[in-house]
Structures are given as C-alpha cells and as structure tokens.
Amino acid sequence: MTRWNTSHIPDQTGRSAVVTGANSGIGYITARELARRGARTVLACRNEARGHAALARLRSEVPAAEAEFRRLDLADLTSVRDFAAGLDDFDGERLDLLVNNAGVMALPQRRTADGFEMQFGTNHLGHFALTGLLLPKLLGTPGARVVTVSSGFHALANVKLDDLNSERGYHRWIAYGRSKSANLLFVHELSRRLAQAGSRVLAVAAHPGYADTNLQTAGVRMEGRTRAERIVNLANRLIGQPAESGALPTLCAATAPHMKPDAFLGPRNGLRGAPAPSFRAPWTTNDETSERLWAASEELTGVRYDFGGGARG
C-alpha cells in the first residue's frame, strides 16, 4: 500500500455505495472515485442545495456515473431513520459499501435535534444509528464493507462514559477527540460482533491526515472569528494536502483487497502521503470500553442491532 492511489481501485461495476457528507471535501472525492469505477453511488448530505450542486459537479466530471443525492442529517435521528427507510428502493436488498464520512470539527457548544452534544451526536451517534438501520442490506450483500472516517485527533481524548454529552464541562477539541475515539471504538466493537455472528461484512476505519477542506474553518466561522478563519485557511494551504490525497485512505479502506477487520488507515507520515496502517491510541481497542459505548449508543439512539437480521429502531 506504500504508493496506493486511485488507479488501484478495482472495478466497482454492479456494486452500490452510500457516502455520507459527500457534498464537499474527502466525501465528495470518495463518492466521485467510486462512481468513476462503476459503483452506483448515493451522495448522502444534509444541505439540499449543496448536495444537488455536488451531484451536478460529479456528473460533469464523470458523465457515465450512476449517482444520486438523498438528504441525510446525522444530527437528527428522525432524518437518519427517514433516510434508511427511503433507501429500501435503492438497489434492492443490496448495499456493498457504507462510508461513514460526514462529521463536524471543534464547534462551539451546540446540541443536536435530539439533545446530544453536537460532535458526539453527529460524528458517532448518527453514524451508529445509520449503520444499524442499514445492517440488513449489508448483511445480505457478499463482500460488504463499512468504512468509518475517524481522525488522528482521536488521540486527544478517550470517550468519557459517564459524561458522553460533555455536560460537566465542554472543550471543543477534547469533545472532537472523544467523538473520533468513539468512531474507532465503534469499528472495533462492530468488527467483534460481526465475527461472533459469523458474518463476512468488513468494518474498517480511515483518516485523511491534514487535508485542505472546509471542515477546519466551520467552528471559527460560526463564531464570526474572521482573523482565526484566515489563519486556518493559510495553514490549510501551507500544511494540508489536497482533498484528492486526503480521500485516499478512505478509498483504500473501502476497496483494497485483503483488508483486515478493524484496520485503521491514514497517510503514511500521519499528515500526508499514501495510505498505510495508522497509529491508534490503545484505548480504541479496549473491549470493555467498546462494549459499554455500544450499549450506551443503543440506548441513546433507540437502534438495537440484530446480527441475525438487522436492527430495530
């Protein structure tokens, strides 16, 4: 995988994919490249105008693409349920690939529609619910994969099981790190439960390193901190790699043969470079923590996984 790039993506003809947060950044590149290789692809995005614009851009860049936009707001569990139910008409009972890419980063303190801390609720709980609700399709599809996008910033903090919604103090970057650790704990526990059920569905994780996208500026823009936004934009240009490069670990995790369960890929040197196995904080493979987070996530979302037939909720 030292020099892995998009030319190594196997033919995806006949396969179907859902990519969350596909209106920009690495999500858009991921959806575009899967569609370029023949996958029927759903761009699952919160903002309808941006989602339709992304779809138009994709079709202009890949005229033969089979792609469509569907609205999904991961910060609203009603929207997650509506999206999953609406996907019943997409490619029959088949879903080859779910890319849990969408996320928010270092926001001022906010709550989701269901009252969860915004970063934990969007980055982890929304994707936890979505994956569970789409599990019947995944379980019924030979070779299906779930790819969840975490971050190198997961190393900032483990989840705090007795304060998942940061009610006893909020620091935007610590909350972000906790949500990204939750992503990795989710992949770890999902892999364990799939193996116990005898399923061949593969759950893996990836991170983009430092990619030049609009994710870094969202928080300071929400607060109207124009000077901070200019500094972040400058850092993105000087340090960040293009979104095309940042998407490579996700695409590799999604399509490369012989991927191992619970793998975690990122840029070779941590910030930039070709996909390679990534550093992972030891707490993200702790069985007790992952099991307790799973139980809490089922309780909070109302989505309970059934590996014999899918999920309820």
Side-chain angles (χ1 to χ4, degrees):
M1 287 190 292
T2 303
R3 297 177 181 269
W4 196 94
N5 57 58
T6 55
S7 70
H8 295 97
I9 299 175
D11 183 17
Q12 300 293 298
T13 302
R15 292 170 62 80
S16 56
V18 170
V19 182
T20 69
N23 60 287
S24 64
I26 66 171
Y28 172 77
I29 301 300
T30 299
R32 185 190 69 188
E33 295 308 313
L34 291 171
R36 191 191 302 279
R37 297 297 295 159
R40 185 181 177 196
T41 306
V42 170
L43 284 68
C45 315
R46 178 183 59 83
N47 186 289
E48 291 198 32
R50 293 175 183 173
H52 284 298
L55 179 61
R57 177 185 169 193
L58 189 153
R59 287 175 171 167
S60 71
E61 294 178 337
V62 187
E66 286 191 74
E68 57 186 272
F69 159 75
R70 299 200 183 195
R71 187 178 181 276
L72 169 65
D73 184 355
L74 289 158
D76 183 344
L77 291 177
T78 297
S79 176
V80 174
R81 290 186 174 90
D82 289 347
F83 175 88
L87 213 65
D88 286 345
D89 67 354
F90 175 69
D91 212 14
E93 298 299 314
R94 185 180 194 93
L95 180 59
D96 296 88
L97 179 61
L98 172 60
V99 181
N100 291 324
N101 163 79
V104 292
M105 174 191 279
L107 300 182
Q109 190 166 19
R110 296 287 190 276
R111 296 283 169 178
T112 69
D114 304 281
F116 307 125
E117 187 276 310
M118 182 64 76
Q119 298 190 81
F120 178 70
T122 302
N123 298 350
H124 170 62
L125 290 178
H127 282 127
F128 178 92
L130 177 66
T131 305
L133 293 168
L134 296 181
L135 194 61
K137 282 178 172 282
L138 294 162
L139 290 173
T141 306
R145 292 190 189 186
V146 178
V147 179
T148 299
V149 179
S150 182
S151 168
F153 281 111
H154 80 274
L156 287 174
N158 192 3
V159 296
K160 198 169 184 179
L161 290 165
D162 63 349
D163 189 23
L164 290 172
N165 286 300
S166 300
E167 293 171 338
R168 297 202 297 269
Y170 180 79
H171 185 286
R172 67 184 71 198
W173 282 106
I174 296 300
Y176 179 67
R178 287 173 177 163
S179 74
K180 296 287 104 177
S181 282
N183 288 153
L184 289 172
L185 286 161
F186 166 63
V187 171
H188 180 68
E189 187 65 18
L190 179 58
S191 295
R192 287 207 311 145
R193 294 183 181 227
L194 287 166
Q196 290 170 359
S199 172
R200 297 180 66 85
V201 174
L202 186 66
V204 294
H207 78 88
Y210 193 148
D212 181 5
T213 71
N214 60 13
L215 187 64
Q216 294 92 339
T217 58
V220 291
R221 186 181 300 118
M222 287 174 67
E223 295 178 313
R225 296 163 58 197
T226 55
R227 184 170 180 270
E229 185 177 352
R230 288 195 298 270
I231 292 171
V232 172
N233 280 325
L234 178 60
N236 280 1
R237 290 194 297 271
L238 293 176
I239 303 172
Q241 59 181 348
E244 284 79 2
S245 299
L248 290 179
T250 300
L251 286 163
C252 185
T255 65
H258 313 303
M259 193 65 55
K260 294 182 179 180
D262 203 21
F264 184 34
L265 300 185
R268 185 176 184 183
N269 73 358
L271 296 178
R272 310 169 64 94
S278 177
F279 165 79
R280 183 169 181 168
W283 58 72
T284 65
T285 56
N286 182 282
D287 291 349
E288 180 183 357
T289 304
S290 65
E291 188 171 2
R292 290 178 64 193
L293 177 63
W294 187 282
S297 300
E298 286 193 329
E299 186 67 27
L300 290 169
T301 63
V303 175
R304 301 185 184 277
Y305 284 55
D306 176 0
F307 289 89
R312 304 183 304 277

